Structure formats: C-alpha cells, structure tokens
Amino acid sequence: MRILVTNDDGIYSPGIAALARVATKFGEVYVVAPDVEQSSMGHAVTHSRPLTIKKSTNSFGEQVPAHRVNGTPADCVALGTHLHADIDVVLSGINMGPNLGNSMWHSGTLAAAKQAALFGLKGIALSTPVGNSDPDFDALEPFVERAIAAALEDQDSNLININFPPAPRDLIWTRQSVRQYDGHVVPGVDPMGRKHYWFTVTPLEPAEEGTDRWAVENGLVSLTPLRLDLTDESALTRMQQTHL
Ligand code: MN
C-alpha cells in the first residue's frame, strides 16, 4: 500500500512524525505537509498564486521521502498525489487538538482527508487533545496502529475521522456530535495599544451517548465514518412533496 502522510500543524509537528512512524507498518510512506501551521484553514485551496514543493529538512527516516509545501492541507494532498503516483490512502495528523463534532467544519486536518476522498482515494484524519504538555505519542502508538487497521478494513468507507483521548482504554465507532456551540469573540489589546480579537468556541451541552465527543470524554478512541454528500435527505423529500 502507498500512503501519503500530511497534516495541518506543519511538517515540524511531533504529531506528523508519530503518524509517519506508525504508517510505515502499513506500507510505503510519503510525507507532503505544509511548511507552516495551517490549523483551522478548513478545505481552503490556493488558486491565486503558484505553489512550491521543496525537500524537507526534517527527516522522517531514510526510507520516507518528505516534502514541504507553501500551501494548505488540501493543497498538500493535491501536490502529494501529483508527485507520488498511485497513492492508496491519505493519513492526516496526528493533529495537536481534537477534531470532534462541529469542529469538523473548520478542521484542516479533516480537509486533507476529505480532499483524498474527493480524488477517489481513502482519507483518514487523526487528532488528539493537547494539555499543558505535548501528547504522549509513544503511549498512543499502539492505539494509532489499531485505529488505522480498523479504518482500512472497511473497503467501502472512504472518509474516517479518528480522535484519541490522552489515555485510551478501547476503540469505538461513533457518529458526529452536532450540538450547538458558543462562539465567543474575546477582545484584547496588543503591546502597541491596538485592539485585537480571539474567536473561541465552547460546546453548550453535554455530548450525546454514542457520539465522537462522548467517546473521547469517556476514554475511548472515536472512529466516525463520514460522507461527502451533505444533502439533508428528509428535508429534500419534504421539499419535493410540498414546495414545488
Ligand atoms: Mn492543527
């Protein structure tokens, strides 16, 4: 199997090093990742300037070609699959920060996996929360391996979002939590006296059982199969019957 590894935290993140290490157990690994952090860029693609791709100065081992791109996570999947033919699966992460529930809409990590699915490949996004110190990727490694194996097993699902609690006890298949969140804009003042703003979000309600947020809150690795089709099926049926 030929595996493209990318992320949105940038090629120097310890999360992508951990993911590339585990990925080598599943096949040939190629790293193509943003040269700087691109978190919360969502599925942005660069179309108003050309992109460059350069050999990475950060080594992932002698057997792993690694390149950095001055673009978004989705750009990296486009250029990575152009540079390396016949990629089977794109692994994106391991993101430093969870991508649960509504944050899937903002996530650059998930967008890279989505871009793979749009190309007809398999895309798997992997994320874990960060506390005061970096995640213990060595401790997570056996669970990362189990989760990737589980995600690869189902041939028909092509987009899977995986989140790891800090100390997992098991794995579980989940659905996306879609409860509301509180979007706060927190104003501040910079050292030059200018006003600036931080956009922060907090989920408003406790997570529903069986969802991704609930799983991670309960020490379980959450695996959520997703689809590209955003159509609201019940609304479509309703509209077709009543509004035309
Ligand atoms: Mn990130």
Side-chain angles (χ1 to χ4, degrees):
M1 191 183 340
R2 288 164 67 83
I3 302 165
L4 179 68
V5 172
T6 190
N7 74 349
D8 78 356
D9 293 336
I11 198 158
Y12 303 105
S13 167
I16 194 170
L19 180 56
R21 220 164 34 237
V22 178
T24 55
K25 298 179 182 181
F26 293 90
E28 293 165 52
V29 175
Y30 305 87
V31 172
V32 179
D35 57 358
V36 294
E37 180 165 356
Q38 298 282 330
S39 289
S40 294
M41 289 295 282
H43 207 133
V45 291
T46 302
H47 79 114
S48 54
R49 63 172 174 84
L51 294 165
T52 61
I53 185 162
K54 294 178 178 164
K55 270 208 164 131
S56 172
T57 50
N58 190 20
S59 175
F60 292 83
E62 273 182 24
Q63 306 302 316
V64 179
H67 293 82
R68 63 185 202 272
V69 170
N70 61 344
T72 65
D75 291 334
C76 290
V77 174
L79 267 64
T81 52
H82 172 79
L83 184 70
H84 306 293
D86 303 323
I87 293 292
D88 300 296
V89 57
V90 173
L91 301 179
S92 178
I94 300 169
N95 190 58
M96 309 268 275
N99 278 308
L100 298 162
N102 290 316
S103 63
M104 286 192 209
W105 290 100
H106 313 290
S107 172
T109 306
L110 179 61
K114 249 180 342 176
Q115 186 61 53
L118 286 172
F119 283 153
L121 310 173
K122 187 153 190 155
I124 303 171
L126 306 96
S127 308
T128 194
V130 184
N132 290 328
S133 54
D134 282 356
D136 185 349
F137 288 114
D138 288 342
L140 281 181
E141 208 165 296
F143 289 95
V144 175
E145 189 176 344
R146 278 178 64 191
I148 292 172
L152 289 174
E153 211 166 283
D154 188 322
Q155 305 277 331
D156 294 327
S157 70
N158 61 355
L159 183 58
I160 297 173
N161 187 40
I162 305 176
N163 282 268
F164 300 87
R169 50 187 178 87
D170 210 347
L171 290 75
I172 189 169
W173 290 98
T174 59
R175 65 174 53 254
Q176 179 188 14
S177 169
V178 288
R179 295 216 166 157
Q180 297 296 308
Y181 64 54
D182 194 7
H184 272 305
V185 173
V186 181
V189 180
D190 79 6
M192 275 68 73
R194 297 173 297 206
K195 274 188 182 170
H196 63 194
Y197 302 89
W198 287 97
F199 178 38
T200 60
V201 296
T202 322
L204 283 179
E205 302 162 278
E208 324 87 300
E209 191 170 339
T211 62
D212 51 1
R213 268 178 58 207
W214 170 87
V216 170
E217 283 170 13
N218 285 280
L220 298 165
V221 178
S222 163
L223 298 98
T224 310
L226 302 173
R227 59 180 175 191
L228 295 174
D229 183 353
L230 298 176
T231 310
D232 181 337
E233 298 292 344
S234 61
L236 176 62
T237 306
R238 211 164 54 239
M239 305 301 183
Q240 284 170 330
Q241 284 168 353
T242 56
H243 293 291
L244 283 179

